[in-house]
Amino acid sequence: MVSSINSRDVSTTDSAPPTTRQKLAVSMMCLFAFLLLYFMMSGPLVWIEDKMKFKPFTRSVETVYKPLVVIVKSDMKPASSAIKAYVGMFK
């Protein structure tokens, strides 16, 4: 069964541009996903850094995760406890 490209089933002009609310929702979801991945990668990267003992990699990890280090050093509860517990699982 062959269908033509100009079929009535495919509509290309009916879609409306995204609204400001939709754009904001997508931006918030992207920010949440980024922060979640940023936090979730901290433990495995600490483990890799501990095994490699490679100075350029160590400096890179320290630079990228400086915000988490500041939270832990300033002892902001409960965030610092959660970070210490999570990263501690990989040491």
Side-chain angles (χ1 to χ4, degrees):
M1 186 176 222
V2 178
S3 66
S4 69
I5 294 175
N6 297 326
S7 174
R8 291 183 188 178
D9 296 335
V10 179
S11 118
T12 57
T13 59
D14 291 343
S15 63
T19 64
T20 304
R21 188 175 187 171
Q22 290 171 331
K23 290 178 184 178
L24 181 62
V26 169
S27 298
M28 295 303 292
M29 286 189 291
C30 289
L31 178 64
F32 177 75
F34 170 76
L35 292 175
L36 181 66
L37 286 174
Y38 177 78
F39 176 73
M40 296 302 287
M41 287 302 299
S42 63
L45 284 174
V46 166
W47 180 80
I48 291 169
E49 183 271 329
D50 187 48
K51 299 295 180 201
M52 286 180 52
K53 307 270 191 239
F54 184 59
K55 287 289 183 192
F57 184 74
T58 300
R59 284 192 301 262
S60 298
V61 170
E62 288 172 354
T63 302
V64 169
Y65 284 97
K66 187 71 171 173
L68 293 182
V69 172
V70 169
I71 291 171
V72 169
K73 285 187 178 180
S74 57
D75 202 27
M76 294 180 193
K77 299 284 181 186
S80 63
S81 300
I83 294 168
K84 286 178 191 176
Y86 180 70
V87 172
M89 292 185 336
F90 294 92
K91 284 193 171 190

